Amino acid sequence: MENTIKLTKSLKETQAFGAEFAREINHGIVIFLEGDLAAGKTAFTKGLAEGLGVKANVNSPTFTILKEYQGNEFELKHIDAYRLEGSTDDSLGFYDLIDEDTVVVIEWPEYIKHLDIRCDYHLKFKVISDFEREIEVIKC
């Protein structure tokens, strides 16, 4: 997927965009999700997981920091970096999470920008109204 801006008009459309995005994946990638609370980051990830064939219920890893799910071809690792500011790469082992068989989604990447983690796509979520979201997709 190339650089684009997607406008979604509902939670279901945001999830559907995630599933559509999953169909474009042909190897392990790292996706940064940036946006305010309730901007649609987890909804996108739920759709992405569905598109990857994950059968488990996907929810925010806010309190656990990392959740792992098995899909048809790829494992999905969903990370919430909100509380990781100041952490070191040695203490987190981020580089061990990234490989060709894994899709890594990192919410709140701005809190770990000092770690120099590879980024394949950076999605920026903007709230337009109660239901509408603008999602800017940037290929890193």
Side-chain angles (χ1 to χ4, degrees), residues 6 27 36 77 92 111 139:
K6 175 75 173 178
H27 60 81
D36 291 334
K77 295 184 180 175
L92 297 173
Y111 288 98
K139 187 158 176 45

Side-chain angles (χ1 to χ4, degrees), residues 48-67:
L48 182 74
E50 180 182 318
L52 293 173
V54 171
K55 302 295 183 215
N57 182 36
V58 174
N59 51 38
S60 178
T62 300
F63 299 106
T64 59
I65 299 176
L66 167 68
K67 290 196 174 182

Side-chain angles (χ1 to χ4, degrees), residues 111-124:
Y111 288 98
I112 55 170
K113 63 185 172 192
H114 62 285
L115 296 181
D116 191 32
I117 295 171
R118 180 185 102 210
C119 169
D120 295 295
Y121 291 95
H122 190 146
L123 279 63
K124 297 182 180 183

Side-chain angles (χ1 to χ4, degrees), residues 28-86:
I29 63 172
V30 178
I31 305 169
F32 288 176
L33 303 182
E34 182 181 334
D36 291 334
L37 286 171
K41 299 180 301 291
T42 299
F44 171 86
T45 304
K46 286 181 180 192
L48 182 74
E50 180 182 318
L52 293 173
V54 171
K55 302 295 183 215
N57 182 36
V58 174
N59 51 38
S60 178
T62 300
F63 299 106
T64 59
I65 299 176
L66 167 68
K67 290 196 174 182
E68 300 176 82
Y69 307 95
Q70 187 58 54
N72 293 335
E73 295 180 47
F74 300 102
E75 184 177 11
L76 173 63
K77 295 184 180 175
H78 186 193
I79 299 166
D80 186 320
Y82 188 80
R83 294 181 290 135
L84 299 179
E85 187 170 29

